Amino acid sequence: MPFSMVNSAATLKRGMKKLLKGMANVRFYWDDILVHTRTWEEHLKILREPFRRLAQASMMIRPSKCIFGVDSMDFLGHQLQQGLIGPPEDNVAKIRKAP
């Protein structure tokens, strides 16, 4: 779908919502998908389903934009870690350096 179309963003969001509906441990925001698990084995098991659904919908992911198996990451302006959500460390550093 051409993204210059007026409703393309809303159509993408609606499609992603429908595509990933009912999936435990999977969250999305527009075209960003977050899969969160406690163990690597669980992660691999859960990843199969979003990959299957994306392939079935003829949607592709760009491997260069993917991050797999990390203990912490920045997502939508938040630092996500095991059991914690907070501001990214670079934002905290900027606040500490402020006069």
Side-chain angles (χ1 to χ4, degrees):
M1 167 186 309
F3 275 84
S4 60
M5 305 279 296
V6 173
N7 294 326
S8 59
T11 302
L12 173 65
K13 183 165 180 148
R14 187 172 47 253
M16 291 297 289
K17 185 176 182 178
K18 184 177 179 180
L19 184 74
L20 300 173
K21 184 178 181 179
M23 295 193 64
N25 299 49
V26 177
R27 306 289 179 263
F28 77 95
Y29 185 79
W30 295 108
D31 62 347
D32 292 328
I33 301 171
L34 175 69
V35 177
H36 55 94
T37 58
R38 294 195 182 274
T39 66
W40 179 243
E41 292 76 21
E42 182 184 8
H43 200 68
L44 292 175
K45 181 180 172 185
I46 289 179
L47 278 175
R48 286 186 180 99
E49 184 62 15
F51 286 163
R52 185 191 68 75
R53 291 184 186 191
L54 288 165
Q56 189 175 17
S58 299
M59 296 181 81
M60 294 181 277
I61 58 173
R62 185 172 295 156
S64 63
K65 290 190 160 195
C66 296
I67 303 169
F68 296 101
V70 295
D71 291 332
S72 67
M73 67 174 297
D74 289 340
F75 186 72
L76 302 177
H78 295 84
Q79 176 70 33
L80 307 179
Q81 299 180 39
Q82 293 182 352
L84 300 171
I85 299 175
E89 188 55 43
D90 59 335
N91 288 356
V92 173
K94 289 175 189 174
I95 292 169
R96 287 186 178 140
K97 291 180 183 178

